[in-house]
Amino acid sequence: MATGSILLLLLASGCAARTVEVPPPADPPSKPVTQASLSPTDQQAVDQAWSAYQQLNAIYLKAAQSGTYEWNTDKTKRPLYPYAAGTYMSALERDLDIMREQGFLRKGSPRVTLRRVVSVSPTSIVVEVCVDDSGTDTVSRKTGKSVVKSGQNQRYPVTMRAGLYPDAKWRWVESRADRAASC
């Protein structure tokens, strides 16, 4: 993750698979996207989950860029808690901790260039995005020099899953990047 992975999620089993491609909220794709219709209920769920992703991404990036994260002993009071859960939240926080320990900072922000809704069920949403890390770098705080291994694919697909929690909030719980592929 310190080298640029932002969200890497695993497909959920048992989801009613529907394929819908929609542009991301802030950055429309460069080519036209076919949009099948979602029910209003499913669209509202996707919109809520995507909003949570944007909050999660903003918090993670701020922490990675500043080297500062609020490590409260009560995990429910940590900044990522309202937006991430389970092993995915643990992986994000572990990445931030490793970056802090190694003295690394993130420069720039990845760009999500496409969002495709793979499936929606009452408790799970799976989406695919294309992440473009070409405008980012991970650098040593001391030297300012890049610590990213050269030759890494900087434009790659990521599959993400959000789960609906008992407090009626969508939290991102899994993520899987395919760095061998390009998008």
Side-chain angles (χ1 to χ4, degrees):
M1 198 82 166
T3 61
S5 301
I6 290 298
L7 293 177
L8 316 171
L9 298 176
L10 181 59
L11 293 173
S13 60
C15 294
R18 281 176 255 166
T19 301
V20 180
E21 292 185 3
V22 295
D27 194 21
S30 56
K31 59 185 175 185
V33 177
T34 306
Q35 184 171 347
S37 63
L38 286 174
S39 72
T41 301
D42 286 353
Q43 185 63 58
Q44 181 180 19
V46 169
D47 291 346
Q48 288 172 350
W50 192 249
S51 178
Y53 162 74
Q54 291 175 315
Q55 293 293 321
L56 166 74
N57 197 36
I59 292 165
Y60 173 85
L61 285 173
K62 181 180 178 186
Q65 292 168 345
S66 69
T68 305
Y69 182 71
E70 190 178 323
W71 292 100
N72 194 304
T73 55
D74 179 356
K75 73 176 182 178
T76 65
K77 294 181 180 175
R78 293 182 190 163
L80 291 173
Y81 180 79
Y83 313 106
T87 56
Y88 184 56
M89 181 173 161
S90 295
L92 290 171
E93 288 186 332
R94 183 177 60 245
D95 185 58
L96 292 172
D97 195 37
I98 289 169
M99 288 179 66
R100 180 189 54 77
E101 286 177 358
Q102 298 293 321
F104 297 157
L105 293 175
R106 180 125 171 144
K107 299 292 181 187
S109 298
R111 208 176 87 172
V112 176
T113 57
L114 175 69
R115 181 176 66 150
R116 185 174 79 88
V117 177
V118 175
S119 64
V120 179
S121 78
T123 59
S124 181
I125 295 172
V126 177
V127 299
E128 292 176 347
V129 300
C130 181
V131 175
D132 183 350
D133 269 342
S134 61
T136 67
D137 198 3
T138 302
V139 300
S140 167
R141 185 186 293 235
K142 288 181 183 176
T143 66
K145 293 183 180 178
S146 179
V147 296
V148 177
K149 189 181 346 179
S150 65
Q152 280 194 0
N153 182 5
Q154 294 184 315
R155 189 172 160 86
Y156 51 92
V158 178
T159 303
M160 308 171 1
R161 184 171 67 87
L164 184 62
Y165 275 70
D167 61 0
K169 291 187 181 194
W170 289 98
R171 289 186 174 87
W172 293 93
V173 296
E174 296 178 75
S175 177
R176 177 171 295 162
D178 184 358
R179 288 238 182 209
S182 192
C183 55

